[in-house]
């Protein structure tokens, strides 16, 4: 217990924790939006869009996250100089790393969101789409009003799993210098090797604090939101 | 409860058993030489059919005869191979805005109801008018309640479809179709998925619609409905229209062997 107190006194654990939360929340929003677009592409009547959706999922889902993160940091930022932060600002480097971290996490997890959503769409009976079309709703309106609301409800549980995976995967962006929990952990281990187990315990507890409620929440939601047929 | 009783009776007050069907107006729906294949299967073979304004046509036939498909090609839920379909003089458009517009004018009632499972009964009925016709919400709700009263399920307005009986769901589905103020309503075996004791409540609503002058194409096995409400019976077998005529002469004296055979099978029990 003393060890934990020492660590909490010497390191800004709440700041790292907050960084992990920010990465998780922003990437989750990004992944949800992008993943929805990809899922809609996969079920669209336009062949080109379906092809794009399938290609996206196949390509991104089978690529290691680390590779995507490095591609963003070294490929897009350092080599192509595509900056996401205002030039010359004192926090330019930190901002760029953080924003590219969010981009990489969003892009990667969007493929999982798309797959979860597609499985949700598959739970919606064909007749729902036919009824929507029969009252004169177009493709977009049918999706918006009838298919997607039911698909999201059917996909709550797998979306929860994706969110938990995303929370833990934020540790990968420590590699490009985003000061989240894993980054902090590396620093702590380097300078306090004798407190190794306490450090592991502390960081693990921080993640459990995030993922456990997420899991409980999504299980409860999936029960509450289930569509009665 | 008293309210509901009254509402359910209200649905049938404008039915006069035995009164003559409405006069048939100029052609509203015209099918010319419609052909369709499902792979190797030739489901519709050179089908011609004209339905006049205000006419009620019952389509009969053994299963696999193509009658459901016929119903579904009319609002292009199934595409056709060749031939033409016109509604109110307008050729059925290709997929897109035009088709959506046309579908708004063609009501459809499905065998399995297909009510939107995540929306309440009232929302099911108001969705089309609000999103397609751009009717203001308050007006759409008022009209929806009126229609739900007409089909006798007003008291269920705030429930979800899964909480209703099959017969109630199907009546909501009819209200949903009516809310679009369609020129014609297609019924694809509307009572086939219902428990026997719920068939009447749905048929009563359909008869009252027929009496009120709605143009209807009804795929059904309900001979009683055909006799009470239809102007014409179309008998299909193997993807072809084999025989058509007024209900009375069709049921009492079918001309073709195929129809005689079919009727003998369903009427002997």
């Amino acid at each position: 217990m003393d060890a934990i107190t020492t660590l909490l006194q010497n390191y800004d654990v709440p700041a790292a924790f907050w960084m992990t939360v920010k990465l998780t929340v922003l990437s989750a929003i990004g992944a949800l939006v992008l993943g929805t677009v990809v899922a809609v592409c996969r079920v669209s009547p336009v062949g080109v869009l379906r092809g794009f959706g399938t290609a996206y999922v196949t390509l991104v889902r089978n690529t290691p996250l680390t590779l995507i993160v490095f591609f963003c940091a070294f490929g897009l930022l350092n080599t192509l100089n595509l900056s996401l932060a205002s030039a010359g600002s004192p926090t330019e480097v930190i901002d760029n790393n953080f924003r590219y971290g969010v981009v990489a996490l969003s892009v990667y997890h969007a493929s999982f969101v798309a797959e979860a959503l597609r499985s949700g769409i598959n739970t919606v009976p064909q007749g729902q789409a036919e009824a929507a079309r029969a009252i004169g709703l177009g493709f977009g309106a049918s999706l918006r009003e009838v298919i997607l609301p039911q698909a999201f409800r059917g996909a709550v549980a797998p979306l929860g799993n994706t969110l938990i995976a995303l929370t833990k995967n934020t540790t990968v962006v420590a590699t490009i210098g985003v000061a989240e929990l894993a980054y902090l952990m590396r620093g702590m281990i380097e300078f306090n090797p004798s407190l190794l187990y306490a450090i592991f315990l502390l960081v693990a507890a921080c993640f459990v604090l995030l993922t456990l409620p997420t899991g409980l929440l999504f299980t409860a939601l999936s029960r509450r939101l289930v569509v009665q047929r | 409860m008293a309210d509901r009783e009254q509402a359910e009776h209200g649905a049938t007050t404008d039915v006069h058993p035995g009164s003559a069907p409405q006069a048939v107006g100029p052609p509203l729906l015209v099918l010319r030489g419609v052909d369709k294949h499902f792979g190797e299967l030739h489901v519709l073979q050179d089908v011609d059919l004209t339905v006049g304004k205000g006419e009620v046509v019952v389509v009969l036939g053994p299963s696999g005869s193509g009658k459901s498909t016929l119903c579904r090609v009319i609002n292009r839920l199934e595409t056709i191979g060749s031939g033409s379909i016109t509604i109110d003089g307008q050729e059925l458009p290709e997929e897109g805005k035009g088709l959506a517009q046309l579908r708004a004018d063609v009501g459809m009632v499905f065998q399995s109801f297909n009510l939107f499972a995540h929306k309440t009964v009232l929302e099911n009925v108001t969705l089309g008018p609000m999103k397609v016709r751009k009717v203001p919400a308050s007006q759409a709700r008022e009209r929806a309640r009126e229609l739900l009263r007409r089909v006798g399920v007003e008291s269920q307005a705030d429930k979800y479809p899964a909480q209703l009986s099959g017969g109630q769901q199907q009546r909501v589905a009819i209200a949903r179709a009516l809310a679009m103020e369609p020129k014609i309503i297609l019924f694809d075996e509307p009572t086939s998925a219902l428990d026997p004791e719920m068939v009447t409540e749905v048929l009563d609503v359909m008869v009252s619609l027929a009496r009120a002058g709605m143009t209807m194409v009804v795929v059904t096995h309900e001979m009683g409905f055909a006799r009470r409400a239809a102007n014409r019976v179309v008998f299909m077998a193997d993807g072809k229209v084999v025989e058509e005529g007024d209900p009375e002469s069709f049921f009492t004296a079918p001309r073709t062997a195929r129809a005689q055979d079919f009727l003998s099978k369903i009427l002997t029990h």
Side-chain angles (χ1 to χ4, degrees), chain B residues 217-252:
Chain B
V217 174
V218 186
V219 174
T220 186
H221 292 295
E222 299 294 338
M223 304 301 148
F225 172 78
R227 279 171 183 262
R228 268 164 84 197
N231 300 79
R232 189 148 52 102
V233 170
V234 171
F235 176 72
M236 285 185 76
D238 305 321
K240 283 181 276 221
V241 173
V242 176
E243 183 171 341
E244 50 184 310
D246 69 277
E248 208 45 52
S249 37
F250 176 80
F251 288 120
T252 49

mmCIF file of all heavy atoms in Angstrom, chain B residues 217-252:
data_model
loop_
_atom_site.group_PDB
_atom_site.id
_atom_site.type_symbol
_atom_site.label_atom_id
_atom_site.label_comp_id
_atom_site.label_asym_id
_atom_site.label_seq_id
_atom_site.Cartn_x
_atom_site.Cartn_y
_atom_site.Cartn_z
ATOM 1 N N VAL B 217 -56.328 -5.016 -54.366
ATOM 2 C CA VAL B 217 -55.937 -6.306 -54.939
ATOM 3 C C VAL B 217 -55.630 -7.201 -53.751
ATOM 4 O O VAL B 217 -54.761 -6.886 -52.939
ATOM 5 C CB VAL B 217 -54.697 -6.180 -55.847
ATOM 6 C CG1 VAL B 217 -54.229 -7.556 -56.310
ATOM 7 C CG2 VAL B 217 -55.007 -5.298 -57.044
ATOM 8 N N VAL B 218 -56.371 -8.283 -53.615
ATOM 9 C CA VAL B 218 -56.263 -9.106 -52.417
ATOM 10 C C VAL B 218 -55.897 -10.540 -52.775
ATOM 11 O O VAL B 218 -56.668 -11.235 -53.447
ATOM 12 C CB VAL B 218 -57.599 -9.103 -51.637
ATOM 13 C CG1 VAL B 218 -57.428 -9.839 -50.308
ATOM 14 C CG2 VAL B 218 -58.094 -7.690 -51.389
ATOM 15 N N VAL B 219 -54.718 -10.949 -52.353
ATOM 16 C CA VAL B 219 -54.338 -12.353 -52.486
ATOM 17 C C VAL B 219 -54.816 -13.049 -51.220
ATOM 18 O O VAL B 219 -54.396 -12.691 -50.119
ATOM 19 C CB VAL B 219 -52.810 -12.505 -52.630
ATOM 20 C CG1 VAL B 219 -52.420 -13.973 -52.611
ATOM 21 C CG2 VAL B 219 -52.337 -11.841 -53.892
ATOM 22 N N THR B 220 -55.718 -13.995 -51.355
ATOM 23 C CA THR B 220 -56.274 -14.621 -50.155
ATOM 24 C C THR B 220 -56.904 -15.973 -50.480
ATOM 25 O O THR B 220 -57.155 -16.295 -51.633
ATOM 26 C CB THR B 220 -57.331 -13.715 -49.499
ATOM 27 O OG1 THR B 220 -57.752 -14.292 -48.275
ATOM 28 C CG2 THR B 220 -58.539 -13.524 -50.398
ATOM 29 N N HIS B 221 -57.110 -16.735 -49.440
ATOM 30 C CA HIS B 221 -57.859 -17.981 -49.597
ATOM 31 C C HIS B 221 -59.256 -17.850 -49.016
ATOM 32 O O HIS B 221 -59.987 -18.828 -48.944
ATOM 33 C CB HIS B 221 -57.128 -19.124 -48.884
ATOM 34 C CG HIS B 221 -55.833 -19.483 -49.527
ATOM 35 N ND1 HIS B 221 -55.763 -20.010 -50.789
ATOM 36 C CD2 HIS B 221 -54.557 -19.373 -49.099
ATOM 37 C CE1 HIS B 221 -54.494 -20.211 -51.102
ATOM 38 N NE2 HIS B 221 -53.738 -19.825 -50.094
ATOM 39 N N GLU B 222 -59.588 -16.634 -48.542
ATOM 40 C CA GLU B 222 -60.873 -16.459 -47.879
ATOM 41 C C GLU B 222 -62.008 -16.329 -48.887
ATOM 42 O O GLU B 222 -62.260 -15.269 -49.444
ATOM 43 C CB GLU B 222 -60.828 -15.220 -46.967
ATOM 44 C CG GLU B 222 -59.804 -15.292 -45.861
ATOM 45 C CD GLU B 222 -60.123 -16.376 -44.843
ATOM 46 O OE1 GLU B 222 -61.309 -16.781 -44.739
ATOM 47 O OE2 GLU B 222 -59.189 -16.834 -44.157
ATOM 48 N N MET B 223 -62.692 -17.434 -49.113
ATOM 49 C CA MET B 223 -63.783 -17.442 -50.100
ATOM 50 C C MET B 223 -64.914 -16.517 -49.652
ATOM 51 O O MET B 223 -65.557 -15.862 -50.450
ATOM 52 C CB MET B 223 -64.340 -18.853 -50.259
ATOM 53 C CG MET B 223 -63.296 -19.872 -50.635
ATOM 54 S SD MET B 223 -62.484 -19.436 -52.178
ATOM 55 C CE MET B 223 -60.875 -20.110 -51.856
ATOM 56 N N GLY B 224 -65.150 -16.499 -48.334
ATOM 57 C CA GLY B 224 -66.223 -15.663 -47.801
ATOM 58 C C GLY B 224 -65.988 -14.202 -48.147
ATOM 59 O O GLY B 224 -66.903 -13.498 -48.572
ATOM 60 N N PHE B 225 -64.747 -13.764 -47.984
ATOM 61 C CA PHE B 225 -64.411 -12.374 -48.306
ATOM 62 C C PHE B 225 -64.633 -12.124 -49.794
ATOM 63 O O PHE B 225 -65.210 -11.116 -50.194
ATOM 64 C CB PHE B 225 -62.969 -12.070 -47.927
ATOM 65 C CG PHE B 225 -62.504 -10.726 -48.394
ATOM 66 C CD1 PHE B 225 -62.873 -9.580 -47.695
ATOM 67 C CD2 PHE B 225 -61.742 -10.587 -49.543
ATOM 68 C CE1 PHE B 225 -62.480 -8.327 -48.140
ATOM 69 C CE2 PHE B 225 -61.348 -9.339 -49.990
ATOM 70 C CZ PHE B 225 -61.717 -8.202 -49.281
ATOM 71 N N ALA B 226 -64.170 -13.070 -50.607
ATOM 72 C CA ALA B 226 -64.302 -12.908 -52.053
ATOM 73 C C ALA B 226 -65.776 -12.749 -52.442
ATOM 74 O O ALA B 226 -66.136 -11.882 -53.241
ATOM 75 C CB ALA B 226 -63.691 -14.103 -52.778
ATOM 76 N N ARG B 227 -66.613 -13.553 -51.839
ATOM 77 C CA ARG B 227 -68.046 -13.479 -52.168
ATOM 78 C C ARG B 227 -68.671 -12.180 -51.674
ATOM 79 O O ARG B 227 -69.511 -11.591 -52.335
ATOM 80 C CB ARG B 227 -68.795 -14.651 -51.527
ATOM 81 C CG ARG B 227 -68.688 -15.949 -52.325
ATOM 82 C CD ARG B 227 -69.273 -17.089 -51.516
ATOM 83 N NE ARG B 227 -69.120 -18.360 -52.213
ATOM 84 C CZ ARG B 227 -70.079 -18.911 -52.936
ATOM 85 N NH1 ARG B 227 -71.249 -18.325 -53.055
ATOM 86 N NH2 ARG B 227 -69.876 -20.060 -53.547
ATOM 87 N N ARG B 228 -68.236 -11.740 -50.478
ATOM 88 C CA ARG B 228 -68.861 -10.556 -49.884
ATOM 89 C C ARG B 228 -68.398 -9.262 -50.533
ATOM 90 O O ARG B 228 -69.163 -8.315 -50.665
ATOM 91 C CB ARG B 228 -68.528 -10.474 -48.387
ATOM 92 C CG ARG B 228 -69.534 -11.137 -47.477
ATOM 93 C CD ARG B 228 -68.918 -11.340 -46.108
ATOM 94 N NE ARG B 228 -69.020 -10.143 -45.281
ATOM 95 C CZ ARG B 228 -68.279 -9.950 -44.190
ATOM 96 N NH1 ARG B 228 -67.381 -10.856 -43.838
ATOM 97 N NH2 ARG B 228 -68.427 -8.867 -43.469
ATOM 98 N N ALA B 229 -67.123 -9.209 -50.870
ATOM 99 C CA ALA B 229 -66.577 -7.889 -51.201
ATOM 100 C C ALA B 229 -65.968 -7.753 -52.591
ATOM 101 O O ALA B 229 -65.746 -6.634 -53.041
ATOM 102 C CB ALA B 229 -65.526 -7.507 -50.164
ATOM 103 N N ALA B 230 -65.675 -8.869 -53.264
ATOM 104 C CA ALA B 230 -64.927 -8.747 -54.512
ATOM 105 C C ALA B 230 -65.830 -8.443 -55.698
ATOM 106 O O ALA B 230 -66.961 -8.917 -55.774
ATOM 107 C CB ALA B 230 -64.154 -10.030 -54.780
ATOM 108 N N ASN B 231 -65.322 -7.625 -56.622
ATOM 109 C CA ASN B 231 -66.005 -7.438 -57.887
ATOM 110 C C ASN B 231 -65.628 -8.567 -58.834
ATOM 111 O O ASN B 231 -66.392 -8.938 -59.704
ATOM 112 C CB ASN B 231 -65.563 -6.129 -58.565
ATOM 113 C CG ASN B 231 -65.859 -4.922 -57.723
ATOM 114 O OD1 ASN B 231 -65.130 -4.630 -56.796
ATOM 115 N ND2 ASN B 231 -66.941 -4.241 -58.019
ATOM 116 N N ARG B 232 -64.410 -9.069 -58.634
ATOM 117 C CA ARG B 232 -63.878 -10.007 -59.603
ATOM 118 C C ARG B 232 -62.916 -10.956 -58.897
ATOM 119 O O ARG B 232 -62.229 -10.560 -57.954
ATOM 120 C CB ARG B 232 -63.123 -9.223 -60.681
ATOM 121 C CG ARG B 232 -62.676 -10.005 -61.873
ATOM 122 C CD ARG B 232 -62.682 -9.113 -63.116
ATOM 123 N NE ARG B 232 -61.925 -7.878 -62.874
ATOM 124 C CZ ARG B 232 -60.678 -7.679 -63.330
ATOM 125 N NH1 ARG B 232 -60.067 -8.585 -64.043
ATOM 126 N NH2 ARG B 232 -60.050 -6.544 -63.071
ATOM 127 N N VAL B 233 -62.892 -12.181 -59.369
ATOM 128 C CA VAL B 233 -61.943 -13.155 -58.867
ATOM 129 C C VAL B 233 -60.993 -13.516 -60.004
ATOM 130 O O VAL B 233 -61.434 -13.740 -61.131
ATOM 131 C CB VAL B 233 -62.665 -14.423 -58.364
ATOM 132 C CG1 VAL B 233 -61.671 -15.531 -58.080
ATOM 133 C CG2 VAL B 233 -63.484 -14.118 -57.126
ATOM 134 N N VAL B 234 -59.693 -13.499 -59.697
ATOM 135 C CA VAL B 234 -58.700 -13.904 -60.693
ATOM 136 C C VAL B 234 -58.072 -15.189 -60.186
ATOM 137 O O VAL B 234 -57.544 -15.227 -59.068
ATOM 138 C CB VAL B 234 -57.623 -12.816 -60.875
ATOM 139 C CG1 VAL B 234 -56.490 -13.320 -61.746
ATOM 140 C CG2 VAL B 234 -58.240 -11.562 -61.464
ATOM 141 N N PHE B 235 -58.143 -16.241 -60.967
ATOM 142 C CA PHE B 235 -57.580 -17.514 -60.545
ATOM 143 C C PHE B 235 -56.271 -17.757 -61.284
ATOM 144 O O PHE B 235 -56.218 -17.720 -62.508
ATOM 145 C CB PHE B 235 -58.577 -18.655 -60.834
ATOM 146 C CG PHE B 235 -58.011 -20.008 -60.503
ATOM 147 C CD1 PHE B 235 -57.841 -20.400 -59.178
ATOM 148 C CD2 PHE B 235 -57.638 -20.889 -61.516
ATOM 149 C CE1 PHE B 235 -57.307 -21.652 -58.876
ATOM 150 C CE2 PHE B 235 -57.095 -22.133 -61.221
ATOM 151 C CZ PHE B 235 -56.939 -22.519 -59.899
ATOM 152 N N MET B 236 -55.212 -17.992 -60.496
ATOM 153 C CA MET B 236 -53.896 -18.216 -61.099
ATOM 154 C C MET B 236 -53.412 -19.626 -60.831
ATOM 155 O O MET B 236 -53.688 -20.212 -59.781
ATOM 156 C CB MET B 236 -52.859 -17.255 -60.501
ATOM 157 C CG MET B 236 -52.983 -15.835 -60.999
ATOM 158 S SD MET B 236 -51.626 -14.824 -60.360
ATOM 159 C CE MET B 236 -50.272 -15.382 -61.394
ATOM 160 N N ALA B 237 -52.690 -20.172 -61.801
ATOM 161 C CA ALA B 237 -52.022 -21.451 -61.595
ATOM 162 C C ALA B 237 -50.770 -21.466 -62.462
ATOM 163 O O ALA B 237 -50.796 -20.979 -63.597
ATOM 164 C CB ALA B 237 -52.951 -22.601 -61.981
ATOM 165 N N ASP B 238 -49.685 -21.967 -61.917
ATOM 166 C CA ASP B 238 -48.411 -22.081 -62.639
ATOM 167 C C ASP B 238 -47.990 -20.778 -63.311
ATOM 168 O O ASP B 238 -47.533 -20.782 -64.461
ATOM 169 C CB ASP B 238 -48.497 -23.202 -63.692
ATOM 170 C CG ASP B 238 -48.918 -24.518 -63.060
ATOM 171 O OD1 ASP B 238 -48.447 -24.787 -61.937
ATOM 172 O OD2 ASP B 238 -49.725 -25.238 -63.668
ATOM 173 N N GLY B 239 -48.181 -19.657 -62.602
ATOM 174 C CA GLY B 239 -47.691 -18.383 -63.126
ATOM 175 C C GLY B 239 -48.581 -17.747 -64.173
ATOM 176 O O GLY B 239 -48.219 -16.729 -64.752
ATOM 177 N N LYS B 240 -49.737 -18.354 -64.426
ATOM 178 C CA LYS B 240 -50.615 -17.780 -65.448
ATOM 179 C C LYS B 240 -51.986 -17.457 -64.856
ATOM 180 O O LYS B 240 -52.431 -18.119 -63.913
ATOM 181 C CB LYS B 240 -50.806 -18.771 -66.603
ATOM 182 C CG LYS B 240 -49.606 -18.826 -67.524
ATOM 183 C CD LYS B 240 -49.827 -19.791 -68.655
ATOM 184 C CE LYS B 240 -49.482 -21.182 -68.218
ATOM 185 N NZ LYS B 240 -48.779 -22.042 -69.097
ATOM 186 N N VAL B 241 -52.637 -16.447 -65.421
ATOM 187 C CA VAL B 241 -54.032 -16.205 -65.068
ATOM 188 C C VAL B 241 -54.853 -17.207 -65.873
ATOM 189 O O VAL B 241 -54.874 -17.175 -67.095
ATOM 190 C CB VAL B 241 -54.461 -14.768 -65.410
ATOM 191 C CG1 VAL B 241 -55.957 -14.602 -65.183
ATOM 192 C CG2 VAL B 241 -53.689 -13.787 -64.554
ATOM 193 N N VAL B 242 -55.491 -18.135 -65.164
ATOM 194 C CA VAL B 242 -56.203 -19.215 -65.848
ATOM 195 C C VAL B 242 -57.665 -18.839 -66.086
ATOM 196 O O VAL B 242 -58.237 -19.194 -67.102
ATOM 197 C CB VAL B 242 -56.103 -20.510 -65.015
ATOM 198 C CG1 VAL B 242 -56.903 -21.629 -65.648
ATOM 199 C CG2 VAL B 242 -54.644 -20.929 -64.884
ATOM 200 N N GLU B 243 -58.224 -18.144 -65.121
ATOM 201 C CA GLU B 243 -59.638 -17.831 -65.252
ATOM 202 C C GLU B 243 -59.958 -16.588 -64.448
ATOM 203 O O GLU B 243 -59.382 -16.351 -63.397
ATOM 204 C CB GLU B 243 -60.470 -19.017 -64.713
ATOM 205 C CG GLU B 243 -61.961 -18.829 -64.858
ATOM 206 C CD GLU B 243 -62.752 -20.109 -64.513
ATOM 207 O OE1 GLU B 243 -62.157 -21.205 -64.520
ATOM 208 O OE2 GLU B 243 -63.952 -19.975 -64.255
ATOM 209 N N GLU B 244 -60.869 -15.772 -64.947
ATOM 210 C CA GLU B 244 -61.360 -14.679 -64.103
ATOM 211 C C GLU B 244 -62.838 -14.460 -64.342
ATOM 212 O O GLU B 244 -63.373 -14.789 -65.391
ATOM 213 C CB GLU B 244 -60.555 -13.394 -64.286
ATOM 214 C CG GLU B 244 -60.330 -12.913 -65.689
ATOM 215 C CD GLU B 244 -59.431 -11.673 -65.706
ATOM 216 O OE1 GLU B 244 -59.720 -10.735 -64.953
ATOM 217 O OE2 GLU B 244 -58.458 -11.653 -66.476
ATOM 218 N N GLY B 245 -63.491 -13.920 -63.340
ATOM 219 C CA GLY B 245 -64.917 -13.687 -63.478
ATOM 220 C C GLY B 245 -65.492 -13.161 -62.190
ATOM 221 O O GLY B 245 -64.758 -12.945 -61.224
ATOM 222 N N ASP B 246 -66.799 -12.932 -62.138
ATOM 223 C CA ASP B 246 -67.379 -12.439 -60.895
ATOM 224 C C ASP B 246 -67.409 -13.587 -59.895
ATOM 225 O O ASP B 246 -67.480 -14.755 -60.278
ATOM 226 C CB ASP B 246 -68.774 -11.854 -61.140
ATOM 227 C CG ASP B 246 -69.773 -12.910 -61.505
ATOM 228 O OD1 ASP B 246 -69.801 -13.272 -62.721
ATOM 229 O OD2 ASP B 246 -70.482 -13.398 -60.620
ATOM 230 N N PRO B 247 -67.355 -13.268 -58.613
ATOM 231 C CA PRO B 247 -67.184 -14.310 -57.588
ATOM 232 C C PRO B 247 -68.263 -15.380 -57.643
ATOM 233 O O PRO B 247 -67.952 -16.572 -57.561
ATOM 234 C CB PRO B 247 -67.262 -13.537 -56.274
ATOM 235 C CG PRO B 247 -67.070 -12.121 -56.601
ATOM 236 C CD PRO B 247 -67.402 -11.922 -58.032
ATOM 237 N N GLU B 248 -69.487 -14.952 -57.800
ATOM 238 C CA GLU B 248 -70.592 -15.905 -57.730
ATOM 239 C C GLU B 248 -70.445 -16.991 -58.795
ATOM 240 O O GLU B 248 -70.446 -18.179 -58.499
ATOM 241 C CB GLU B 248 -71.922 -15.149 -57.892
ATOM 242 C CG GLU B 248 -73.097 -15.815 -57.195
ATOM 243 C CD GLU B 248 -72.764 -16.293 -55.782
ATOM 244 O OE1 GLU B 248 -72.247 -15.475 -54.995
ATOM 245 O OE2 GLU B 248 -73.003 -17.475 -55.485
ATOM 246 N N SER B 249 -70.240 -16.581 -60.044
ATOM 247 C CA SER B 249 -70.148 -17.605 -61.088
ATOM 248 C C SER B 249 -68.852 -18.390 -60.979
ATOM 249 O O SER B 249 -68.819 -19.578 -61.298
ATOM 250 C CB SER B 249 -70.327 -16.997 -62.486
ATOM 251 O OG SER B 249 -69.730 -15.746 -62.571
ATOM 252 N N PHE B 250 -67.773 -17.738 -60.492
ATOM 253 C CA PHE B 250 -66.521 -18.486 -60.360
ATOM 254 C C PHE B 250 -66.673 -19.604 -59.332
ATOM 255 O O PHE B 250 -66.267 -20.741 -59.578
ATOM 256 C CB PHE B 250 -65.362 -17.566 -59.960
ATOM 257 C CG PHE B 250 -64.074 -18.314 -59.725
ATOM 258 C CD1 PHE B 250 -63.283 -18.717 -60.789
ATOM 259 C CD2 PHE B 250 -63.677 -18.650 -58.429
ATOM 260 C CE1 PHE B 250 -62.110 -19.438 -60.576
ATOM 261 C CE2 PHE B 250 -62.508 -19.366 -58.212
ATOM 262 C CZ PHE B 250 -61.727 -19.757 -59.288
ATOM 263 N N PHE B 251 -67.276 -19.294 -58.200
ATOM 264 C CA PHE B 251 -67.360 -20.317 -57.152
ATOM 265 C C PHE B 251 -68.415 -21.374 -57.456
ATOM 266 O O PHE B 251 -68.248 -22.533 -57.110
ATOM 267 C CB PHE B 251 -67.648 -19.675 -55.791
ATOM 268 C CG PHE B 251 -66.471 -18.927 -55.247
ATOM 269 C CD1 PHE B 251 -66.556 -17.575 -54.987
ATOM 270 C CD2 PHE B 251 -65.264 -19.580 -55.016
ATOM 271 C CE1 PHE B 251 -65.451 -16.879 -54.500
ATOM 272 C CE2 PHE B 251 -64.166 -18.892 -54.529
ATOM 273 C CZ PHE B 251 -64.260 -17.531 -54.276
ATOM 274 N N THR B 252 -69.498 -20.973 -58.120
ATOM 275 C CA THR B 252 -70.542 -21.964 -58.373
ATOM 276 C C THR B 252 -70.303 -22.736 -59.669
ATOM 277 O O THR B 252 -70.581 -23.927 -59.739
ATOM 278 C CB THR B 252 -71.938 -21.299 -58.423
ATOM 279 O OG1 THR B 252 -71.857 -20.156 -59.286
ATOM 280 C CG2 THR B 252 -72.387 -20.867 -57.043
#
